[in-house]
């Protein structure tokens, strides 16, 4: 199961062994890790090294500590990319336009995938969100429905990497979305335009037409990106 460690940077080697156990299937999502005492015994290292390794694994989002229960491999990783991406975003002094560019690159093809894999139940949910985007008098509800609409498309792609990447990108965009929508909606005719764009995406998904769906998403993102240029 484990191999004794006899080298420098001990905690990094502890991490490496745990990662290898995930790769070979010994550890799976939701599995409980051995206790600190057992890890010390199996790996023949100090408890300090074990704690350093576990703390590092918690920081990167691979392991979670449940109070009074022990350490577990995480079952959900939907928010695990947000922290490192947000730090990189701030340190690199990136602009929101860069996020929108990568979102466009990924999301257009994601919509094509989703059109081939989306279920009838998911389409019903998308229709409900679309109705909120079109008719709600509450802008806050429209923002939530808009985000959920795009996330629903990612989920329908059935590609877990895409879901996590777009979820992290969307979280980074939160602080810009309200201001951008405000700028877009200054022009009264844009309300109907935004609703039509979402409707076109929905129709592409419902018709199971990858070209139609992805082109509708591209038109929508090209339109909204124009209002992020000054952020």
């Amino acid at each position: 199961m484990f191999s004794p460690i006899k080298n420098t940077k001990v905690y990094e080697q502890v991490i490496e062994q745990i990662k290898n156990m995930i790769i070979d299937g010994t550890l799976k999502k939701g599995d409980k890790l051995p206790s600190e005492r057992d890890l010390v015994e199996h790996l023949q290292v100090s408890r300090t090294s074990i704690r350093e390794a576990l703390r590092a694994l918690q920081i990167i989002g691979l392991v979670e500590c449940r109070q009074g229960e022990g350490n577990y491999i995480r079952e959900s990783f939907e928010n695990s990319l947000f922290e490192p991406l947000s730090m990189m975003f701030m340190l690199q002094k990136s602009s929101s336009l860069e996020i929108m560019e990568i979102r466009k690159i990924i999301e257009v093809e994601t919509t094509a995938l989703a059109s081939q894999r989306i279920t009838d139940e998911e389409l019903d949910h998308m229709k409900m969100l679309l109705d909120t985007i079109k008719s709600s008098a509450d802008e806050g509800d429209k923002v939530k429905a808009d985000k959920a609409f795009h996330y629903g498309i990612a989920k329908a792609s059935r590609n877990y990497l895409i879901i996590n990447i777009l979820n992290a990108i969307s979280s980074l965009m939160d602080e810009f979305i309200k201001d951008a929508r405000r700028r877009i909606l200054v022009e009264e005719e844009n309300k109907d335009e935004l609703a039509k764009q979402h409707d076109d995406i929905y129709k592409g998904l419902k018709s199971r037409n990858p070209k139609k769906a992805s082109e509708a998403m591209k038109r929508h993102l090209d339109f909204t990106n124009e209002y992020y240029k000054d952020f």
Side-chain angles (χ1 to χ4, degrees), residues 36 46-56:
E36 288 184 7
S46 69
R47 180 161 288 193
T48 298
S49 295
I50 296 298
R51 288 178 175 172
E52 286 178 349
L54 291 173
R55 179 58 182 154

Side-chain angles (χ1 to χ4, degrees), residues 7-24:
N7 211 330
T8 57
K9 296 185 178 178
V10 175
Y11 81 95
E12 292 182 358
Q13 294 185 55
V14 175
I15 292 172
E16 194 64 27
Q17 290 209 33
I18 292 174
K19 285 167 59 179
N20 287 337
M21 291 173 67
I22 292 171
I23 291 169
D24 67 23

Side-chain angles (χ1 to χ4, degrees), residues 51-64:
R51 288 178 175 172
E52 286 178 349
L54 291 173
R55 179 58 182 154
L57 290 168
Q58 288 171 28
I59 290 172
I60 65 175
L62 185 61
V63 168
E64 64 177 339

Side-chain angles (χ1 to χ4, degrees), residues 9 60 73 76 84-86 140 150 157 179 181 190 214 230:
K9 296 185 178 178
I60 65 175
I73 302 297
S76 173
L85 274 180
S86 63
H150 285 267
S157 75
D179 286 334
R181 281 186 63 93
N190 282 347
S214 61
D230 298 329

Side-chain angles (χ1 to χ4, degrees), residues 83-206:
E83 197 64 36
L85 274 180
S86 63
M87 289 296 103
M88 182 179 70
F89 180 77
M90 288 185 284
L91 289 170
Q92 293 292 118
K93 301 188 185 302
S94 301
S95 68
S96 60
L97 184 59
E98 289 180 85
I99 300 175
M100 292 302 294
E101 286 171 348
I102 190 65
R103 179 184 170 192
K104 178 181 171 183
I105 290 168
I106 298 173
E107 201 161 351
V108 170
E109 289 303 317
T110 297
T111 307
L113 280 178
S115 70
Q116 302 169 74
R117 301 172 180 176
I118 195 165
T119 66
D120 289 340
E121 285 184 358
E122 287 172 325
L123 280 168
D124 289 343
H125 182 62
M126 301 288 281
K127 182 63 168 62
M128 182 189 69
L129 294 171
L130 182 60
D131 290 342
T132 300
I133 292 170
K134 286 180 176 179
S135 59
S136 177
D138 188 318
E139 176 60 15
D141 287 343
K142 287 188 175 186
V143 169
K144 290 177 184 176
D146 194 330
K147 286 184 61 179
F149 186 87
H150 285 267
Y151 183 74
I153 293 172
K155 187 177 178 183
S157 75
R158 302 290 182 270
N159 185 307
Y160 196 69
L161 286 174
I162 288 174
I163 294 168
N164 278 274
I165 290 169
L166 287 180
N167 189 46
I169 291 171
S170 295
S171 296
L172 280 176
M173 288 303 298
D174 279 354
E175 62 184 290
F176 304 105
I177 287 173
K178 290 182 181 179
D179 286 334
R181 281 186 63 93
R182 192 177 298 116
R183 291 187 181 201
I184 293 170
L185 297 176
V186 162
E187 300 172 35
E188 188 66 26
E189 64 272 19
N190 282 347
K191 292 181 181 179
D192 291 336
E193 178 60 25
L194 276 180
K196 181 182 182 303
Q197 289 171 8
H198 285 88
D199 195 45
D200 287 344
I201 295 168
Y202 172 76
K203 287 176 180 176
L205 292 167
K206 188 175 182 179

